Amino acid sequence: MKLATLKDGSRDGRLVVVSWDLRYAVEARPFKTLQQALENWSTAETALSLRYQALNRGEALGRFAFDATQAEAPLPRAYQWCDGSAFLNHGHLVQRAFNLPPQAEAHIPLMYQGASDDFLGPCDDIVLPSEEQGIDFEGEFAVIVDEVPMGCPASQALQYVRLVMLVNDVSLRGFIQREMKAGFGFLQAKPSSSFSPVAVTPQELGAAWRDGRVCLSLLVSWNHEWFGQPNGAEMSFSFADLIAHAASTRRLRAGTIIGSGTVSSVDREAGSACISERRAIEMIDHGQASTPFMRFGDRIRIESLNAEGETVFGAIDQCIVAQPSLIQESSL
């Protein structure tokens, strides 16, 4: 099953069921929003699955063309967004490039709690105040969970995964080192994240959902040029591990989003899913980084294809845009 949220002028948008090929959609009645469906998943799953099947057979009344440019993030705002760093290869490259000490407890995944009140849609502009803070993209996978009890072990965690998505975890590298040294977590370094047009059930991924991992390549292009295609199968900590980590001392409410962190492959031929990793490789190989960070007007595209070459989640396709002057805004 594939679900999307369309813009309708409200904060939480309008939930729709989307066909497997992302060509058509139909209203998700009786559920107005994805959050409502998640909080009533025991009944929502059956009702929405029936609509999905009818839509794919061409029998759904009221179907209409699906336009990803009109999509919000599947959850335009969420009660919680916890982003991990589950690909150890990415961390090892950064540590080596900057001569940083290794993580003290390598068996425990890193995770931060990001802003979740204002997510961006897949085709929304990324509006930022300055180019000077090192604008970067981070291609990731993420899951949305149902209610997860406190202390849930990894062996039981995957039963709570309801949906899977793509993420562009926008990062401002100029703030990151300062905020890491302060020891109080990211804030200014992490503006609003962006998500794929549709969220899909794990069952929809078939064999690509394996061992709590999305075993698909993440195709990343920057200004229409190939940048990387690392594979989610190389996740060092599975989503089961990340969910258990997040729930170790508290329960997780329905609608909590758990991110994988930057997807990273050991094989350098696969490229990277963020500029920072490419710069780290350049520093290791040549002693200095040569790839610049993003500028206003740059475009980033992130997508995953199945074995038949068909898009699974739709594409995140965004442009970096300068924030309008506050002085100009106040005079309007």
mmCIF file of all heavy atoms in Angstrom, residues 102-133:
data_model
loop_
_atom_site.group_PDB
_atom_site.id
_atom_site.type_symbol
_atom_site.label_atom_id
_atom_site.label_comp_id
_atom_site.label_asym_id
_atom_site.label_seq_id
_atom_site.Cartn_x
_atom_site.Cartn_y
_atom_site.Cartn_z
ATOM 1 N N PRO A 102 37.329 7.745 17.749
ATOM 2 C CA PRO A 102 36.217 6.843 17.430
ATOM 3 C C PRO A 102 35.113 6.961 18.475
ATOM 4 O O PRO A 102 35.345 7.396 19.606
ATOM 5 C CB PRO A 102 36.869 5.459 17.453
ATOM 6 C CG PRO A 102 38.058 5.607 18.338
ATOM 7 C CD PRO A 102 38.556 7.007 18.126
ATOM 8 N N GLN A 103 33.907 6.568 18.071
ATOM 9 C CA GLN A 103 32.783 6.577 18.992
ATOM 10 C C GLN A 103 33.086 5.673 20.182
ATOM 11 O O GLN A 103 33.547 4.536 20.020
ATOM 12 C CB GLN A 103 31.517 6.096 18.275
ATOM 13 C CG GLN A 103 30.257 6.145 19.112
ATOM 14 C CD GLN A 103 29.058 5.578 18.368
ATOM 15 O OE1 GLN A 103 29.074 5.482 17.142
ATOM 16 N NE2 GLN A 103 28.032 5.204 19.092
ATOM 17 N N ALA A 104 32.870 6.182 21.385
ATOM 18 C CA ALA A 104 33.252 5.460 22.605
ATOM 19 C C ALA A 104 32.535 4.120 22.722
ATOM 20 O O ALA A 104 33.125 3.124 23.144
ATOM 21 C CB ALA A 104 32.964 6.328 23.827
ATOM 22 N N GLU A 105 31.252 4.081 22.369
ATOM 23 C CA GLU A 105 30.458 2.857 22.482
ATOM 24 C C GLU A 105 29.909 2.510 21.097
ATOM 25 O O GLU A 105 28.767 2.829 20.782
ATOM 26 C CB GLU A 105 29.331 3.038 23.493
ATOM 27 C CG GLU A 105 29.832 3.313 24.908
ATOM 28 C CD GLU A 105 28.698 3.539 25.889
ATOM 29 O OE1 GLU A 105 28.047 4.594 25.801
ATOM 30 O OE2 GLU A 105 28.457 2.654 26.738
ATOM 31 N N ALA A 106 30.731 1.871 20.305
ATOM 32 C CA ALA A 106 30.389 1.614 18.903
ATOM 33 C C ALA A 106 29.215 0.654 18.746
ATOM 34 O O ALA A 106 28.611 0.586 17.674
ATOM 35 C CB ALA A 106 31.603 1.064 18.166
ATOM 36 N N HIS A 107 28.876 -0.079 19.814
ATOM 37 C CA HIS A 107 27.754 -1.021 19.729
ATOM 38 C C HIS A 107 26.411 -0.330 19.968
ATOM 39 O O HIS A 107 25.353 -0.959 19.834
ATOM 40 C CB HIS A 107 27.938 -2.138 20.764
ATOM 41 C CG HIS A 107 27.924 -1.667 22.185
ATOM 42 N ND1 HIS A 107 28.972 -0.977 22.746
ATOM 43 C CD2 HIS A 107 26.975 -1.776 23.161
ATOM 44 C CE1 HIS A 107 28.677 -0.686 24.009
ATOM 45 N NE2 HIS A 107 27.481 -1.158 24.279
ATOM 46 N N ILE A 108 26.449 0.956 20.321
ATOM 47 C CA ILE A 108 25.220 1.715 20.561
ATOM 48 C C ILE A 108 25.041 2.725 19.429
ATOM 49 O O ILE A 108 25.947 3.518 19.160
ATOM 50 C CB ILE A 108 25.279 2.464 21.910
ATOM 51 C CG1 ILE A 108 25.417 1.462 23.060
ATOM 52 C CG2 ILE A 108 24.030 3.327 22.097
ATOM 53 C CD1 ILE A 108 25.580 2.110 24.415
ATOM 54 N N PRO A 109 23.900 2.717 18.729
ATOM 55 C CA PRO A 109 23.728 3.653 17.611
ATOM 56 C C PRO A 109 23.635 5.100 18.084
ATOM 57 O O PRO A 109 23.116 5.377 19.169
ATOM 58 C CB PRO A 109 22.410 3.197 16.974
ATOM 59 C CG PRO A 109 21.676 2.489 18.059
ATOM 60 C CD PRO A 109 22.722 1.845 18.912
ATOM 61 N N LEU A 110 24.151 6.004 17.259
ATOM 62 C CA LEU A 110 23.979 7.425 17.519
ATOM 63 C C LEU A 110 22.592 7.847 17.058
ATOM 64 O O LEU A 110 22.066 7.337 16.076
ATOM 65 C CB LEU A 110 25.038 8.232 16.773
ATOM 66 C CG LEU A 110 26.499 8.003 17.168
ATOM 67 C CD1 LEU A 110 27.418 8.786 16.235
ATOM 68 C CD2 LEU A 110 26.736 8.403 18.620
ATOM 69 N N MET A 111 21.990 8.807 17.761
ATOM 70 C CA MET A 111 20.662 9.291 17.390
ATOM 71 C C MET A 111 20.456 10.679 17.967
ATOM 72 O O MET A 111 20.888 10.977 19.081
ATOM 73 C CB MET A 111 19.584 8.330 17.912
ATOM 74 C CG MET A 111 18.157 8.698 17.509
ATOM 75 S SD MET A 111 16.963 7.410 17.991
ATOM 76 C CE MET A 111 17.310 6.141 16.761
ATOM 77 N N TYR A 112 19.825 11.548 17.198
ATOM 78 C CA TYR A 112 19.447 12.870 17.721
ATOM 79 C C TYR A 112 17.960 13.077 17.474
ATOM 80 O O TYR A 112 17.356 12.430 16.616
ATOM 81 C CB TYR A 112 20.276 13.985 17.075
ATOM 82 C CG TYR A 112 19.826 14.382 15.687
ATOM 83 C CD1 TYR A 112 18.917 15.424 15.488
ATOM 84 C CD2 TYR A 112 20.305 13.714 14.552
ATOM 85 C CE1 TYR A 112 18.502 15.786 14.219
ATOM 86 C CE2 TYR A 112 19.890 14.072 13.290
ATOM 87 C CZ TYR A 112 18.985 15.110 13.125
ATOM 88 O OH TYR A 112 18.561 15.449 11.875
ATOM 89 N N GLN A 113 17.368 13.985 18.236
ATOM 90 C CA GLN A 113 15.951 14.302 18.080
ATOM 91 C C GLN A 113 15.847 15.610 17.311
ATOM 92 O O GLN A 113 16.292 16.657 17.774
ATOM 93 C CB GLN A 113 15.259 14.426 19.439
ATOM 94 C CG GLN A 113 13.753 14.506 19.350
ATOM 95 C CD GLN A 113 13.097 14.348 20.714
ATOM 96 O OE1 GLN A 113 13.575 14.912 21.688
ATOM 97 N NE2 GLN A 113 12.023 13.587 20.785
ATOM 98 N N GLY A 114 15.296 15.537 16.097
ATOM 99 C CA GLY A 114 15.227 16.711 15.234
ATOM 100 C C GLY A 114 13.894 17.420 15.326
ATOM 101 O O GLY A 114 12.942 16.971 15.971
ATOM 102 N N ALA A 115 13.826 18.570 14.636
ATOM 103 C CA ALA A 115 12.585 19.342 14.590
ATOM 104 C C ALA A 115 11.556 18.597 13.750
ATOM 105 O O ALA A 115 11.875 18.119 12.662
ATOM 106 C CB ALA A 115 12.854 20.717 14.002
ATOM 107 N N SER A 116 10.342 18.501 14.242
ATOM 108 C CA SER A 116 9.317 17.737 13.527
ATOM 109 C C SER A 116 8.027 18.518 13.321
ATOM 110 O O SER A 116 7.018 17.956 12.922
ATOM 111 C CB SER A 116 8.996 16.449 14.304
ATOM 112 O OG SER A 116 8.529 16.741 15.610
ATOM 113 N N ASP A 117 8.074 19.820 13.568
ATOM 114 C CA ASP A 117 6.855 20.623 13.498
ATOM 115 C C ASP A 117 6.594 21.205 12.115
ATOM 116 O O ASP A 117 5.519 21.746 11.861
ATOM 117 C CB ASP A 117 6.915 21.769 14.511
ATOM 118 C CG ASP A 117 8.102 22.701 14.271
ATOM 119 O OD1 ASP A 117 9.193 22.190 13.948
ATOM 120 O OD2 ASP A 117 7.950 23.925 14.416
ATOM 121 N N ASP A 118 7.561 21.076 11.190
ATOM 122 C CA ASP A 118 7.412 21.772 9.912
ATOM 123 C C ASP A 118 8.224 21.079 8.820
ATOM 124 O O ASP A 118 9.174 21.628 8.289
ATOM 125 C CB ASP A 118 7.875 23.235 10.064
ATOM 126 C CG ASP A 118 7.599 24.069 8.825
ATOM 127 O OD1 ASP A 118 6.633 23.758 8.108
ATOM 128 O OD2 ASP A 118 8.353 25.031 8.577
ATOM 129 N N PHE A 119 7.825 19.860 8.471
ATOM 130 C CA PHE A 119 8.523 19.125 7.422
ATOM 131 C C PHE A 119 8.208 19.722 6.047
ATOM 132 O O PHE A 119 7.158 20.340 5.846
ATOM 133 C CB PHE A 119 8.112 17.656 7.429
ATOM 134 C CG PHE A 119 8.618 16.886 8.624
ATOM 135 C CD1 PHE A 119 7.795 15.973 9.277
ATOM 136 C CD2 PHE A 119 9.905 17.058 9.091
ATOM 137 C CE1 PHE A 119 8.259 15.249 10.363
ATOM 138 C CE2 PHE A 119 10.381 16.336 10.174
ATOM 139 C CZ PHE A 119 9.551 15.430 10.811
ATOM 140 N N LEU A 120 9.112 19.481 5.099
ATOM 141 C CA LEU A 120 8.923 19.944 3.730
ATOM 142 C C LEU A 120 8.399 18.815 2.851
ATOM 143 O O LEU A 120 8.732 17.645 3.050
ATOM 144 C CB LEU A 120 10.251 20.438 3.156
ATOM 145 C CG LEU A 120 10.931 21.603 3.866
ATOM 146 C CD1 LEU A 120 12.232 21.961 3.159
ATOM 147 C CD2 LEU A 120 10.013 22.812 3.961
ATOM 148 N N GLY A 121 7.607 19.195 1.859
ATOM 149 C CA GLY A 121 7.153 18.236 0.865
ATOM 150 C C GLY A 121 8.268 17.898 -0.098
ATOM 151 O O GLY A 121 9.301 18.587 -0.157
ATOM 152 N N PRO A 122 8.098 16.875 -0.923
ATOM 153 C CA PRO A 122 9.175 16.382 -1.782
ATOM 154 C C PRO A 122 9.635 17.362 -2.846
ATOM 155 O O PRO A 122 10.769 17.273 -3.323
ATOM 156 C CB PRO A 122 8.570 15.131 -2.418
ATOM 157 C CG PRO A 122 7.096 15.371 -2.376
ATOM 158 C CD PRO A 122 6.860 16.088 -1.085
ATOM 159 N N CYS A 123 8.767 18.283 -3.239
ATOM 160 C CA CYS A 123 9.119 19.248 -4.285
ATOM 161 C C CYS A 123 9.112 20.679 -3.782
ATOM 162 O O CYS A 123 9.201 21.625 -4.578
ATOM 163 C CB CYS A 123 8.167 19.099 -5.474
ATOM 164 S SG CYS A 123 8.192 17.449 -6.228
ATOM 165 N N ASP A 124 9.007 20.865 -2.484
ATOM 166 C CA ASP A 124 9.058 22.208 -1.909
ATOM 167 C C ASP A 124 10.475 22.759 -1.997
ATOM 168 O O ASP A 124 11.462 22.024 -1.839
ATOM 169 C CB ASP A 124 8.642 22.190 -0.434
ATOM 170 C CG ASP A 124 7.170 21.886 -0.239
ATOM 171 O OD1 ASP A 124 6.412 21.933 -1.232
ATOM 172 O OD2 ASP A 124 6.776 21.595 0.912
ATOM 173 N N ASP A 125 10.587 24.063 -2.222
ATOM 174 C CA ASP A 125 11.888 24.704 -2.161
ATOM 175 C C ASP A 125 12.460 24.599 -0.748
ATOM 176 O O ASP A 125 11.722 24.642 0.245
ATOM 177 C CB ASP A 125 11.775 26.188 -2.530
ATOM 178 C CG ASP A 125 11.512 26.413 -4.009
ATOM 179 O OD1 ASP A 125 11.789 25.497 -4.806
ATOM 180 O OD2 ASP A 125 11.017 27.506 -4.360
ATOM 181 N N ILE A 126 13.781 24.473 -0.667
ATOM 182 C CA ILE A 126 14.483 24.497 0.617
ATOM 183 C C ILE A 126 14.947 25.937 0.834
ATOM 184 O O ILE A 126 15.914 26.393 0.211
ATOM 185 C CB ILE A 126 15.678 23.530 0.617
ATOM 186 C CG1 ILE A 126 15.194 22.093 0.353
ATOM 187 C CG2 ILE A 126 16.444 23.598 1.938
ATOM 188 C CD1 ILE A 126 16.323 21.105 0.094
ATOM 189 N N VAL A 127 14.234 26.667 1.652
ATOM 190 C CA VAL A 127 14.495 28.093 1.860
ATOM 191 C C VAL A 127 15.430 28.261 3.049
ATOM 192 O O VAL A 127 15.124 27.821 4.157
ATOM 193 C CB VAL A 127 13.182 28.860 2.093
ATOM 194 C CG1 VAL A 127 13.460 30.353 2.273
ATOM 195 C CG2 VAL A 127 12.219 28.640 0.934
ATOM 196 N N LEU A 128 16.568 28.919 2.812
ATOM 197 C CA LEU A 128 17.586 29.071 3.844
ATOM 198 C C LEU A 128 18.120 30.503 3.850
ATOM 199 O O LEU A 128 18.091 31.188 2.819
ATOM 200 C CB LEU A 128 18.728 28.078 3.612
ATOM 201 C CG LEU A 128 18.358 26.594 3.769
ATOM 202 C CD1 LEU A 128 19.472 25.702 3.259
ATOM 203 C CD2 LEU A 128 18.037 26.272 5.232
ATOM 204 N N PRO A 129 18.620 30.955 4.995
ATOM 205 C CA PRO A 129 19.047 32.358 5.097
ATOM 206 C C PRO A 129 20.385 32.683 4.465
ATOM 207 O O PRO A 129 20.655 33.842 4.155
ATOM 208 C CB PRO A 129 19.083 32.593 6.610
ATOM 209 C CG PRO A 129 19.325 31.250 7.198
ATOM 210 C CD PRO A 129 18.609 30.285 6.304
ATOM 211 N N SER A 130 21.268 31.697 4.280
ATOM 212 C CA SER A 130 22.617 32.008 3.824
ATOM 213 C C SER A 130 23.271 30.797 3.168
ATOM 214 O O SER A 130 22.998 29.652 3.536
ATOM 215 C CB SER A 130 23.476 32.477 5.001
ATOM 216 O OG SER A 130 24.841 32.621 4.632
ATOM 217 N N GLU A 131 24.162 31.069 2.207
ATOM 218 C CA GLU A 131 24.978 30.021 1.611
ATOM 219 C C GLU A 131 26.235 29.755 2.432
ATOM 220 O O GLU A 131 26.957 28.782 2.167
ATOM 221 C CB GLU A 131 25.438 30.441 0.210
ATOM 222 C CG GLU A 131 24.337 30.598 -0.800
ATOM 223 C CD GLU A 131 24.864 31.089 -2.138
ATOM 224 O OE1 GLU A 131 25.876 31.829 -2.140
ATOM 225 O OE2 GLU A 131 24.260 30.722 -3.173
ATOM 226 N N GLU A 132 26.508 30.593 3.408
ATOM 227 C CA GLU A 132 27.798 30.574 4.093
ATOM 228 C C GLU A 132 27.915 29.483 5.159
ATOM 229 O O GLU A 132 28.991 29.312 5.731
ATOM 230 C CB GLU A 132 28.063 31.941 4.736
ATOM 231 C CG GLU A 132 28.010 33.103 3.758
ATOM 232 C CD GLU A 132 28.928 32.886 2.566
ATOM 233 O OE1 GLU A 132 30.097 32.487 2.782
ATOM 234 O OE2 GLU A 132 28.483 33.093 1.423
ATOM 235 N N GLN A 133 26.836 28.788 5.467
ATOM 236 C CA GLN A 133 26.874 27.787 6.539
ATOM 237 C C GLN A 133 27.016 26.360 6.031
ATOM 238 O O GLN A 133 26.765 25.417 6.753
ATOM 239 C CB GLN A 133 25.628 27.921 7.430
ATOM 240 C CG GLN A 133 25.598 29.203 8.246
ATOM 241 C CD GLN A 133 26.798 29.324 9.173
ATOM 242 O OE1 GLN A 133 27.365 28.308 9.613
ATOM 243 N NE2 GLN A 133 27.200 30.547 9.482
#
